[in-house]
Amino acid sequence: PRLSVVAEGFMNYQDIGRKDRASWRWLVKPTIALLRGLSYRHPETHLSGAFEPGVERVFAYSGRGLKAPPERFVEIPFPKVEPISPTEPGTALVVLTGIGQWMTPEAFDRFRSAFVAWVDGLGFERVLVKRHPFYDCGGIENLLARAEVVEDTRRLEDMAAELVCSTVIGYCSTALVVLKLMRPDLEVMDWGSDFYCEHAYHGDRSIVDVLQSAGVETVEAEL
């Protein structure tokens, strides 16, 4: 059978190995496979599976920094969309993630406090906040001044044409890359990569290259 890997997020551009996943996963997965009548073996290299024998193609939006054999890479560019309404210069959209699960509580407390202070200090007239649909974001939406929570549960790429914000702000979010590729007119900023790469990804800064290659502005926390 022909096997393919589809790059759906940052993991395909990071040096993600077994050290980056909780140990309980490696105990549960063989059991799940057995119950489904499947065979299972632990990944030997990158967790995306891009280097595994039998994989013929790796589909991704960019080959820059992609963790995959170059001969397997197939580029699928993101389509650009036209905004439905004019953007509001004084409006920012803050995109939250569950990165706190990869940090110690102490590190995430520092990160959260500094991020909130930085966003509030930018002085936007209106701040919209979109929480991650699956992971706890640490209550950041409740700490931001004048924040309006976006209750729409769609993916941001599905909302791209409808966004009225002129600026999108976040940290370690694939959505930042996607939105910048689909809406080049938006100012897109990632905050704190110097901190979250160190405390959540064992110092692996591969994410920065992906963000910058898409045109996302990276702002260091300098904590």
Side-chain angles (χ1 to χ4, degrees):
R2 301 182 66 184
L3 300 177
S4 299
V5 170
V6 178
E8 55 82 30
F10 281 145
M11 186 185 81
N12 300 83
Y13 294 87
Q14 294 175 276
D15 290 318
I16 296 293
R18 291 180 61 182
K19 70 179 184 302
D20 297 289
R21 293 293 181 265
S23 58
W24 63 265
R25 293 174 181 263
W26 311 113
L27 300 174
V28 171
K29 288 186 176 184
T31 303
I32 294 176
L34 181 64
L35 292 174
R36 291 178 175 270
L38 302 172
S39 60
Y40 178 85
R41 69 174 177 83
H42 291 309
E44 299 176 356
T45 54
H46 197 272
L47 290 195
S48 69
F51 294 91
E52 295 297 312
V55 172
E56 296 185 1
R57 298 173 298 180
V58 179
F59 296 100
Y61 48 82
S62 172
R64 178 174 170 177
L66 181 68
K67 306 303 181 185
E71 66 275 9
R72 297 181 182 179
F73 167 58
V74 180
E75 182 177 5
I76 302 182
F78 271 97
K80 294 181 174 60
V81 299
E82 293 294 327
I84 296 174
S85 304
T87 56
E88 302 172 1
T91 298
L93 171 65
V94 179
V95 181
L96 304 182
T97 76
I99 197 172
Q101 66 182 309
W102 307 116
M103 297 184 187
T104 64
E106 294 77 16
F108 184 63
D109 282 345
R110 290 178 60 198
F111 180 84
R112 175 176 52 196
S113 297
F115 177 71
V116 168
W118 178 72
V119 173
D120 286 344
L122 294 176
F124 283 97
E125 297 173 9
R126 185 184 183 199
V127 177
L128 307 174
V129 182
K130 193 169 193 316
R131 295 172 293 210
H132 195 283
F134 307 118
Y135 298 108
D136 178 19
C137 302
I140 291 178
E141 66 274 20
N142 300 319
L143 300 176
L144 289 166
R146 305 180 311 281
E148 302 174 35
V149 176
V150 177
E151 299 295 351
D152 195 321
T153 58
R154 288 180 296 165
R155 299 176 302 174
L156 275 174
E157 50 265 42
D158 295 329
M159 302 167 60
E162 306 166 29
L163 297 179
V164 297
C165 58
S166 60
T167 303
V168 179
I169 299 168
Y171 49 85
C172 192
S173 174
T174 307
L176 299 179
V177 172
V178 174
L179 285 178
K180 187 61 180 179
L181 293 174
M182 296 181 73
R183 289 281 306 272
D185 59 302
L186 296 176
E187 179 183 25
V188 183
M189 307 169 70
D190 173 272
W191 183 86
S193 59
D194 56 327
F195 189 88
Y196 69 67
C197 286
E198 181 65 31
H199 291 271
Y201 295 113
H202 309 283
D204 176 20
R205 293 182 57 83
S206 305
I207 285 176
V208 178
D209 189 48
V210 184
L211 290 162
Q212 294 178 347
S213 68
V216 176
E217 179 184 353
T218 54
V219 181
E220 295 194 344
E222 298 181 350
L223 296 179

